[in-house]
Amino acid sequence: MRKKIVAGNWKMNLSREEALLLISGITSRIESKEKQVIFAPPFLYLYKIAKMCSNFNRIKVAAQNCSKEKEGAFTGEVSAKMIDSCNADYIIIGHSERREYFNESNMDLKEKVDRALENKLDVIFCCGESLNQRKNEVHFSWIRKQLSDSLFHLNAIDFSNIVIAYEPIWAIGTGVTASTNQAQEMHAFIRSCITEKHDTEVAEKTSILYGGSCNPSNSNELFAQEDIDGGLIGGASLNANDFLAIINSF
Ligand code: PEP
């Protein structure tokens, strides 16, 4: 059985007080025992939030990024080793905002994936196409390249620590969601790429999340699709009621 996951990517939002309130507002009301819930707060709150969540087996904590370097003179950077020492479980790697605003290439992301795994951290690896790429019908080849450049150097054992998040760029923070058909089609394609690279067993074990304007009114239909194993949620993860409703929607 694949892990069902709902992950909240807080991005650069919330003061420390707001962040702690949100966490207690969610953890005090969480009911689901079978889904994994992941919070991805800003680095500054990681340690505290990991501590607050440590009594909940099904709740994990993720960093939103890490340096591709191991350590050293890289002012302002945060290493995977530091993230591990704050008791986080995952690192989100390859979010489209990192790719676009910080020029992170597939090769940079490959190095980040390696840093995370070296430090025994799991990875939520984001991939997704722009609207133009979809219009020009190059979205499948684009996603295949993102996966193969950054992830397909891993053997099957290391690959078991990867969760994939398909996030069409045109749906992130726009209020436009991919249709269930578009999302399911791409998720099935991603799974077929993993089968080609490894085998069906590895592909069937890989959780693939959908991200892009997911909210309580569309999550149920999206998560009901065969190859959609949950969601990576941006905006709606900042509101306890919405995030809980999404968690409870499948
Ligand atoms: C995201 O940034 O990962 C995301 C899915 O954002 P939103 O849900 O706000 O579209």
Side-chain angles (χ1 to χ4, degrees), residues 24-166:
S24 26
I26 296 170
T27 53
S28 62
R29 290 156 63 202
I30 213 155
E31 281 163 13
S32 164
K33 300 249 181 309
E34 70 283 359
K35 280 155 241 165
Q36 186 170 99
V37 173
I38 304 175
F39 295 109
F43 287 131
L44 281 172
Y45 317 147
L46 264 186
Y47 179 69
K48 175 73 181 170
I49 289 179
K51 206 163 190 179
M52 286 171 83
C53 295
S54 61
N55 289 334
F56 299 86
N57 266 347
R58 290 264 155 191
I59 301 183
K60 307 286 177 195
V61 175
Q64 297 173 17
N65 177 35
C66 71
S67 172
K68 66 178 183 177
E69 306 296 341
K70 290 188 179 177
E71 63 184 350
F74 301 100
T75 303
E77 286 289 270
V78 175
S79 70
K81 191 173 172 185
M82 293 169 182
I83 293 166
D84 175 50
S85 75
C86 288
N87 301 326
D89 308 283
Y90 284 89
I91 307 182
I92 297 176
I93 291 178
H95 192 281
S96 64
E97 288 151 17
R98 300 289 325 168
R99 292 176 188 263
E100 188 178 342
Y101 307 141
F102 302 94
N103 298 319
E104 294 185 358
S105 67
N106 288 352
M107 289 304 135
D108 294 329
L109 300 176
K110 175 182 182 207
E111 290 186 56
K112 291 185 181 212
V113 167
D114 289 342
R115 295 297 86 74
L117 298 183
E118 279 161 18
N119 286 282
K120 307 274 173 276
L121 289 155
D122 288 354
V123 170
I124 300 176
F125 182 82
C126 304
C127 56
E129 81 284 357
S130 68
L131 194 53
N132 261 344
Q133 286 167 328
R134 184 164 274 269
K135 281 183 182 156
N136 292 324
E137 297 182 3
V138 294
H139 46 303
F140 291 115
S141 55
W142 178 256
I143 300 291
R144 185 199 294 277
K145 184 158 171 55
Q146 288 185 323
L147 299 175
S148 69
D149 283 358
S150 306
L151 291 182
F152 284 175
H153 62 295
L154 300 174
N155 63 31
I157 293 171
D158 286 341
F159 198 82
S160 68
N161 299 307
I162 306 290
V163 169
I164 293 177
Y166 168 58

Side-chain angles (χ1 to χ4, degrees), residues 9 11 95 97 167 171-173 211-213 232-235:
N9 173 16
K11 311 191 185 188
H95 192 281
E97 288 151 17
E167 300 205 301
I172 296 180
S213 298
L232 177 55
I233 319 297

